[in-house]
Amino acid sequence: MSPTTDTATERPPKALMRRIAMASCVGTTIEFYDFFIYGTAAALVFPTVFFPALGGAAGSVASFATFAVAFGARPLGAMIFGHFGDRIGRKKTLISTLLLMGVSTFLIGLLPAAGAVGVSAPIALIVLRIAQGLAVGGEWAGATLLAAEYAPAGKRGLYGVFPQLGPALAFALSNITFLTVNLFVGETSGAFIAYGWRIPFIASGLLVLLGLYVRLKVEETPVFTRQRTQPRNTGAVPVVSVFWKQPRELLLAAGSLAMMFAFFYIGTAFLTAYGTAAMGLSRASVLSIGILAAVVFGAAIALSGICSDRFGRRKVVLASCALSVPWALLLFPLLDTGSAAALAVGLTVTLAIMGVSYGPVGALLPEMFRTQYRYTGAGMAYALAGVIGGGTAPILAAHLAASGGGAAIGWMLAGFGLLSLLCTVALPETRQRAMEQTATSPAVAAAEIA
């Protein structure tokens, strides 16, 4: 088979593709909504609710440490759910990840405060946060594969945008939910700390029911259905195949996305706390700015994904990485002016640069790995990038803000940008690859011959 030609030449009906687009978008929106309300709560209330004995600065560091715990669980989730996604199917695995995330998030909303039960509260919080990380580690790859394996050749960038829009929609929804609660219970009342923050977590149960309804309506992807009938599907377990046959692609892909995660979680989690604590802005102002930034973020994702069908995935990601380095050095001098407008510009541009990189990834990572272990490979690359960029950046930023100030955080972000730039330069272009190719690189072909 030619690496530029798909075996299935028929174009899926438009009605089917609309259903696939909705299923992939709704699922990732719900998953990331659950993930992001944790980040918002970690910035606004968790230091007080779960770490009151540590004080302000240390409590914030501990709170963001629990936020980062999920990133350590994401590679494990990618391996576990990737294994089942590559063996029993994308659809069944995606339903499992949605249920795990929904139950974990709902239970976080019911946790008692540390003042009531002591150390048991933060321990339970960490356990549930790990469960969230496992779920997200398995969710993203399945949702993108659902879109990419159904999409017609030449439009994988377009349809790969829909699961990528999930984080932007989820960030907006998370901020809208917290803003609504904040308006009802008051900016300064103790009600927000006492019970208001719990409402977004408990309400996520309704969203999970919606996601299950949509996903149960979707059939297994034809690419996986054809592949599972082949005898070769009984070979090595998927995670072994990924590390044995495509380790270079796995590591380069993870490095190329590190900036993306660092920018995103600095924007959505750390800057939420920075805007209220360091800049002195009201909680309502910071949440409102987050909604505006999420709209621009979503637009950047959509445009960059569509452009990747025309110009290539690699070129679009490279442009984002190149922009990230100078912007990282400008961000905190801008924020340190202390105005709401500065936070609006800083957060919006930060998420827009990340969005330009994020848009093509829904097609790029599925195109990089073979069908037999695509779920595992794409999920592992994405999860490892999350550990490198998303898991470390908020914790480092909390330490750097206390010691070196905003300028030190800017240099840290610039370092992530440079790492991703170098890794992306070494990536292959994947736009012309078929989803059922016999080999994705010379290294894979050599491994198959051996």
Side-chain angles (χ1 to χ4, degrees), residues 232-447:
R232 294 177 61 192
N233 192 42
T234 60
V237 295
V239 67
V240 173
S241 296
V242 171
F243 281 106
W244 178 252
K245 296 179 179 179
Q246 291 189 264
R248 180 178 182 273
E249 287 89 340
L250 176 67
L251 296 176
L252 285 177
S256 69
L257 305 184
M259 174 280 296
M260 182 184 81
F261 277 97
F263 268 54
F264 184 69
Y265 286 105
I266 286 295
T268 59
F270 181 79
L271 290 188
T272 299
Y274 196 83
T276 55
M279 299 178 67
L281 302 176
S282 70
R283 190 188 300 137
S285 296
V286 172
L287 292 172
S288 299
I289 289 169
I291 297 169
L292 170 66
V295 174
V296 178
F297 176 40
I301 291 171
L303 289 173
S304 64
I306 293 169
C307 286
S308 75
D309 279 333
R310 179 173 182 181
F311 303 109
R313 325 295 185 212
R314 181 172 169 272
K315 288 181 180 178
V316 177
V317 175
L318 269 175
S320 175
C321 294
L323 289 171
S324 71
V325 177
W327 176 250
L329 300 178
L330 292 173
L331 175 59
F332 281 89
L334 172 66
L335 295 177
D336 288 343
T337 62
S339 69
L343 179 63
V345 172
L347 180 57
T348 300
V349 175
T350 298
L351 292 185
I353 290 174
M354 182 271 178
V356 172
S357 185
Y358 196 60
V361 171
L364 171 67
L365 291 189
E367 289 168 347
M368 289 186 69
F369 298 94
R370 295 190 60 197
T371 306
Q372 289 92 332
Y373 49 82
R374 179 174 292 137
Y375 199 129
T376 303
M380 282 292 296
Y382 189 83
L384 288 174
V387 173
I388 297 169
T392 59
I395 294 179
L396 290 175
H399 282 290
L400 292 172
S403 58
I409 301 173
W411 282 105
M412 176 196 71
L413 290 176
F416 279 115
L418 183 60
L419 169 66
S420 291
L421 180 66
L422 295 174
C423 290
T424 305
V425 167
L427 279 180
E429 177 55 60
T430 62
R431 177 170 52 118
Q432 299 298 331
R433 288 181 178 174
M435 293 304 289
E436 294 181 85
Q437 66 267 29
T438 55
T440 57
S441 70
V444 177

Side-chain angles (χ1 to χ4, degrees), residues 10-22:
E10 68 274 10
R11 298 176 68 87
K14 290 184 178 180
L16 173 62
M17 288 310 304
R18 283 195 296 267
R19 191 160 65 247
I20 296 300
M22 179 178 292

